Every structure is written in structure tokens, then in C-alpha cells.
Amino acid sequence: MNIDRIFLIGLSGSGKSTVARLVATRLGWDCADTDLLVEQAAGRSVAELFAEEGEAQFRYREQVALEQVSRLDQVVVATGGGAPTTPPNRDAIGRGFVVWLAVSPEKAASRLNSNPDTGDRPLLLGDTRARLQQLLDARRSIYELADAAVDVESLTPQQAADEIVRLWQEAKERGFGQEPRTPNGHQRPRLVSLPSPLRPDGVAARVITPLASYPVIVREGVLAELGERCRDLGLTGRAFVITDDEVGPLHAAPARKSLETAGYTAEVLQIPSGEAHKNLRTLEHLYDHLLDARVERTDFAVCLGGGVVTDLGGFAAATCLRGIDFLHVPTSLLGMVDAAIGGKVGIDHPRGKNMIGAFAQPRAVIIDPAVLQTLPERHLRNGFAELIKHGLILDASLVARLEQVADTPAAMASEELIAASVAIKAEVVSEDEREAGRRTLLNYGHTIGHAIEAVTGYTEYLHGEAVAVGMRAAGLIAVELGMLTRDDFDRQQELIAACGLPLRAPGLPVDAVLDVTRSDKKVRQGAIRWVLLEGLGNAVVCDGVPDDVVRRAVETVLA
Ligand SMILES: NC(=O)c1ccc[n+]([C@@H]2O[C@H](COP(=O)([O-])OP(=O)(O)OC[C@H]3O[C@@H](n4cnc5c(N)ncnc54)[C@H](O)[C@@H]3O)[C@@H](O)[C@H]2O)c1
């Protein structure tokens, strides 16, 4: 992997050739176009080669061209639309920084149709838009393996080139190429989130674990499509909508209606709302209801609510009759960007929070940001902490986008930003379902945050509020250790403050908080494993942070 080599991939009509030239000019590099290289080598056009030799032979010629350019330095390569579809081509492209130019089939077709120079495209004969849609459907999962994606739908080629150079610089600063690749040979894509037209089904991310693969759908109004979505998933039995007594009266009716319209028999089961009820007693009531209703293995649960409902409802579904299918339909922001994704389900025990539970993945996560209109403001702000955290640990561009809208809660909780945040969580849990490695990064701010929650008996601070204070403490530690610049720390704090989250938890006993951090689940063989930032969007796990550094940070945030 060499960062000084950029490959552009994407549909025909996405503007790869033009943008490649512009990026090369900006960086002072060479530029190559694999279709042109093939044509020059063969002395015939791509259309002629397809007609005379067929697609397989063309791909072989393309592979030869890609092999050559993928060993050059300081080159920007525009690849053919189908280039990444073969494994050898993917290997060659994987030697550089890969950017997907994402565009809708409509836009690509109109660009191709209005440009007489684009020539005959053998795979696009007939209805260009329809063919491009088919090609996008077939190739989307491959394009998504890119290191970055740029939505070029409404960008000029110049703007697209600027964005690519910016992403390339960011990747270079992050140390691109030094990170290990995942087992399939590709780095996970770090996608900039795509606007809705490019996510026709609203699929913002997929979680892929060893035993499950499921979509996370983020779309305004999707609650009304719940029934259809369940049909798409092949669910056949009765639907049990598990919700709480605050969310139920507000949102269960449209969910039920949609399920019934799609032909399901739907029943709504309500539990009392709040953390105090995330316990064995409520779980038992839920089992009683399900068993009284003679639930069957083909039936499924829809967990409609905040993190309490998705945790408890998911656990009930995962254990009743040894497991029935379930979907999460989170209705709090914290539930959307955090609790519903990743398969942790469970309940609290008098000895501690989330002490009883399991890993069980839902069939889908369906997020309708419109339901946030009824979420009390304090709970909305609570979710901002996790949204911000995802940017801080892994995506500096998300931090920049959040900074632009941080003083407008509705904009912070927009479909686009939720989708971007969700994509980060999905990416991390896909790589490390059981928290053996990278998933630990999601605990940024949680070591001190959990301690603050525990010391105050989980009553004074909401989880996100405590995490916000914990992120400040972790930031102070990283600054003192020389890992994080003061400027980056200030940006973190300004963002947290602009969202209306607390910066301190005054009056708590320092020693009690420090004691709890030592019994935190991130402690391994006696040493606390700290998640710290080395820059915005770049978190690492550190052992051996000196006690006095931790104490100073804790004293500051509790002052
Ligand atoms: N499984 C995980 O990976 C994971 C991750 C983070 C948090 N969690 C868990 O999530 C829980 C916290 O989640 P939470 O903050 O969503 O708490 P919550 O479920 O208690 O929801 C907060 C409050 O908002 C109400 N509410 C939710 N959506 C609403 C809406 N759209 N309109 C009006 N009211 C609404 C709820 O009834 C509740 O009163 C904790 O139990 C925590 O342990 C789990």
C-alpha cells in the first residue's frame, strides 16, 4: 500500500478521467487512464475489444495495464467502471489509496448522454440509466471497499478533486498504509457518508460479523415502511413490538399499522420506561407475555425504543425459545448511533450495569430520525456525546462537519450525520464483534465516564453526559503525555460545549472515582487500558498511563 498512488473507482459517468487529471495537476503527479492504456496497447477501442474478444479478455488486458501502473509512484489512475470486479484487479488497485467517486445512475447517465466524447460503452447499450443502476447494484459492495468515497453528485470536477486531495492528505497524516489490512486483504473503507439519493434503500452501513450480516437503514420516514422492510428480510411469522410506556403511545401505532398493512399480525408489548426497569423482573414479564401469546420460532420481535428497550428486548428475543429473530428500531439518538448497533444485549443486575447479557445480532437496524422530534432535549444532547465520540476516535471529517452545526440540535441529529456516525460504529463492530481489539476504541471517555455514573448511582448523569466529562479527562491525559496538541484538545472541548454537554462533574470524591476506574472492565491484568487521542480522528489504546497524570486529569474535571 502506497499513499503516493491514488486509484479512482466508480461508475462510468462519475467523472474519473477528468477528476484524475485535476488531482494529478494539483499534486504535481502523473495521470493514467486504464481504458486508454488498454486501447493504446491493443490498437483498438474498448467497444471493439468487447465485441471481438469478450469481457473476460478485456479484463485480462485491463489487469496487465493495472499491474503496470500499480507499481508506479506519484500517479493518479482513473480505472474502468468494472475494473475492481476481478480479484487480480482489486489486488493491483489495493496497492494505493482508493477513492470511490459515488454518483447516482441518473446523474451518470445524463453526463454520458450529454458528452459525445465518451464513445461507445459496451456495458451500457440500451437504456443507459437502467444499465447503470444494474451495474451499481452489482458493484456497490465492491466500490464500498474503497478507502474513501466522495459524493460527486453535485460537485464540479474541480470541487471533487479538492475533496480527494483533502481526504488523501488526511489519510497520509493518519499514517495510511501502516495499518494492518483486514483478513480479506482490504482495509475497511472509511466512507464519507453519502446523501440519500446514493443510498436508495437508505442503507447507511452493514454490520458483518462471523455469524451475521445485516443492514443499518437510516432514513426519514422509514418507520412507515417497517412492514415492507420486514417482508424484504423474509420474516414470516407474527410481529411482537416491544416498546416502553413513553415511546409506545408516541410511535407504536405507525409501526403496528405498517406491519399490519404488510400482512403481519402485530402485537404491542409495553414495558415501563427507564434504566430502573432494565432488570430481571421486567424481562420475566416480557417472557410471560410472549409465552402466553404462544410465541413461535418463526415469530419476530421489533424493539422500538431507546437503549433500554433495544438492550432488554433484544435479550428477551435472543433467549426466548432459544432465540427468535429481532429488529432494532431505536428511537433515542443514543440508541441510534450506539446501543442498537453491534449486538450487545442484556439487563442490569444489582451488582452492576449490563452484567447479564449476550452478543446477539438483529436482522436489521431501522432508524427513522423523524422520531427524534419527540425525544426530550436532554436525551437528544445525551446522544450527541456518542455521535461526537465516533468522529473524535476515527473520522476527523465528521468532527469538522459536526463543528459546523454544533449549535443547532436538529442539524446535529440529521439523517446525514446519524448515517455517518452509524457507519463508524458498524465498521468497528464488524471488525471486532467481541471487543478483543479495535472495538475498545469505542470506549473513548468511558473509563472516567463509567466511574462518574457509578459513583453517582446512575441517577445524576446520563451516560452521554458522563462520557462527555470522561472525554475531557482523557483529552487532558493525552495533552499531558504529549500525544494530543492543545489546539486539537480545545476543538474537542468546544464541540462538546457547543452541544450543551457538561465539561465537569463538580463535587464528586476524586478517590472514589479513581477506585471505580481501577475496577473498570477495560482493566486487563491490573492495568487500565486507556483510549486516548493522538489527533482528531485518531484514537489508540494505551497501557501504563502514570497514576499522577490520571489523578490530575480527574481532579480537574471534578473541580
Ligand atoms: N448495547 C449497547 O451496545 C449499548 C450501548 C450504549 C448504551 N446502551 C444502553 O442503552 C441504555 C441507554 O439508552 P437511552 O439513553 O436511549 O435510554 P432509554 O432507553 O431509557 O431512553 C431514554 C428516555 O427517552 C425516552 N424515549 C426514547 N425515545 C424517545 C422518543 N423518540 N420520544 C420520546 N421519548 C423517547 C425513553 O422512554 C426514556 O424515558 C442504557 O441502558 C445503556 O446501558 C447499550
Side-chain angles (χ1 to χ4, degrees):
M1 277 184 285
N2 184 342
I3 186 73
D4 284 344
R5 210 179 272 146
I6 298 176
F7 290 91
L8 304 186
I9 62 172
L11 285 180
S12 295
S14 58
K16 295 176 298 259
S17 306
T18 313
V19 173
R21 277 197 300 277
L22 292 168
V23 174
T25 308
R26 280 169 177 58
L27 295 174
W29 291 3
D30 291 329
C31 175
D33 183 318
T34 53
D35 279 356
L36 282 180
L37 289 173
V38 169
E39 288 184 337
Q40 280 164 5
R44 279 168 289 169
S45 71
V46 171
E48 286 165 347
L49 288 169
F50 257 77
E52 291 162 21
E53 301 178 348
E55 182 173 355
Q57 181 61 20
F58 173 79
R59 294 281 168 232
Y60 175 69
R61 289 178 178 278
E62 191 176 50
Q63 181 189 329
V64 172
L66 269 170
E67 272 299 322
Q68 287 167 351
V69 290
S70 70
R71 299 192 184 274
L72 301 177
D73 279 345
Q74 302 204 321
V75 63
V76 187
V77 183
T79 65
T85 56
T86 70
N89 284 359
R90 279 204 293 280
D91 285 346
I93 290 170
R95 292 186 192 118
F97 180 62
V98 185
V99 184
W100 171 29
L101 300 196
V103 69
S104 66
E106 290 75 17
K107 186 80 178 183
S110 83
R111 282 190 189 151
L112 290 172
N113 292 338
S114 64
N115 183 355
D117 297 334
T118 51
D120 286 344
R121 309 256 171 177
L123 291 177
L124 297 179
L125 297 177
D127 179 346
T128 310
R129 195 214 65 81
R131 279 295 292 141
L132 283 165
Q133 182 67 61
Q134 283 169 351
L135 291 172
L136 181 60
D137 291 343
R139 295 173 182 166
R140 179 190 297 274
S141 59
I142 291 173
Y143 289 154
E144 283 176 350
L145 288 171
D147 297 304
V150 175
D151 161 29
V152 294
E153 184 82 359
S154 51
L155 297 188
T156 63
Q158 288 76 9
Q159 289 168 327
D162 288 342
E163 181 63 6
I164 290 167
V165 171
R166 191 185 67 74
L167 289 168
W168 171 81
Q169 274 163 342
E170 241 178 56
K172 192 170 169 137
E173 280 159 22
R174 265 203 327 263
F176 173 85
Q178 286 148 30
E179 302 159 14
R181 290 213 151 164
T182 49
N184 66 4
H186 283 278
Q187 276 196 298
R188 295 252 170 215
R190 186 121 329 139
L191 288 180
V192 293
S193 70
L194 305 176
S196 331
L198 293 170
R199 294 187 270 114
D201 312 323
V203 178
R206 277 197 91 78
V207 176
I208 303 170
T209 69
L211 296 178
S213 165
Y214 60 91
V216 184
I217 294 162
V218 183
R219 181 184 268 181
E220 290 276 336
V222 74
L223 190 60
E225 296 168 21
L226 179 63
E228 283 166 57
R229 300 293 180 143
C230 291
R231 287 275 169 234
D232 292 347
L233 291 165
L235 296 166
T236 52
R238 284 174 302 164
F240 290 94
V241 179
I242 301 172
T243 186
D244 72 25
D245 55 13
E246 285 183 25
V247 176
L250 296 166
H251 302 294
R256 180 184 196 152
K257 183 165 172 237
S258 173
L259 286 161
E260 287 175 348
T261 307
Y264 291 104
T265 302
E267 188 176 332
V268 177
L269 308 178
Q270 251 174 230
I271 61 172
S273 102
E275 188 71 35
H277 299 284
K278 196 176 117 178
N279 57 25
L280 207 48
R281 196 150 168 254
T282 314
L283 185 66
E284 202 180 347
H285 279 307
L286 209 45
Y287 288 144
D288 289 346
H289 275 296
L290 289 167
L291 296 172
D292 286 349
R294 300 193 182 283
V295 62
E296 293 179 20
R297 291 291 287 278
T298 48
D299 296 338
F300 64 97
V302 175
C303 305
L304 173 77
V308 167
V309 167
T310 52
D311 272 15
L312 188 140
F315 189 54
T319 45
C320 195
L321 303 184
R322 296 204 177 84
I324 59 169
D325 281 329
F326 63 100
L327 279 82
H328 282 326
V329 184
T331 59
S332 67
L333 185 57
L334 186 118
M336 292 175 181
V337 299
D338 195 3
I341 300 164
K344 284 186 184 175
V345 292
I347 54 170
D348 301 333
H349 185 272
R351 302 255 170 94
K353 220 173 153 246
N354 296 323
M355 284 290 162
I356 310 294
F359 283 94
Q361 302 292 348
R363 291 290 307 276
V365 179
I366 297 184
I367 296 174
D368 182 350
V371 302
L372 294 174
Q373 281 163 15
T374 59
L375 184 70
E377 188 176 328
R378 186 173 172 204
H379 283 286
L380 190 65
R381 295 192 187 283
N382 183 43
F384 291 156
E386 300 291 347
L387 194 79
I388 293 171
K389 181 198 74 183
H390 288 155
L392 289 171
I393 59 171
L394 283 170
D395 187 348
S397 67
L398 177 58
V399 174
R401 289 159 71 197
L402 290 168
E403 283 172 334
Q404 285 164 14
V405 295
D407 49 0
T408 320
M412 282 280 288
S414 69
E415 184 181 296
E416 299 313 321
L417 291 175
I418 292 171
S421 183
V422 152
I424 293 170
K425 171 122 196 210
E427 180 199 326
V428 174
V429 298
S430 295
E431 211 167 294
D432 176 25
E433 183 192 22
R434 301 275 165 149
E435 203 168 318
R438 203 159 174 238
R439 192 165 179 167
T440 310
L441 298 182
L442 296 171
N443 292 325
Y444 182 55
H446 282 55
T447 306
I448 304 287
H450 279 153
I452 291 171
E453 284 184 280
V455 166
T456 50
Y458 299 96
T459 49
E460 210 169 310
Y461 293 90
L462 294 177
H463 177 67
E465 293 167 347
V467 167
V469 179
M471 291 195 287
R472 178 169 177 230
L476 289 168
I477 293 172
V479 170
E480 187 166 344
L481 295 178
M483 297 168 63
L484 185 68
T485 64
R486 209 9 128 168
D487 281 355
D488 280 348
F489 172 73
D490 289 346
R491 274 181 68 189
Q492 166 185 296
Q493 287 312 116
E494 277 160 26
L495 185 52
I496 290 172
C499 294
L501 285 160
L503 306 177
R504 52 172 52 87
L508 303 185
V510 173
D511 286 314
V513 169
L514 286 171
D515 277 351
V516 181
T517 61
R518 292 189 199 104
S519 59
D520 190 87
K521 62 184 170 188
K522 287 162 289 303
V523 173
R524 201 180 269 179
Q525 286 161 359
I528 303 178
R529 312 193 71 223
W530 290 92
V531 182
L532 300 176
L533 298 188
E534 285 190 327
L536 298 181
N538 187 12
V540 291
V541 178
C542 299
D543 297 328
V545 175
D547 287 349
D548 60 322
V549 176
V550 175
R551 176 174 279 276
R552 270 193 292 282
V554 171
E555 281 170 354
T556 307
V557 302
L558 300 187

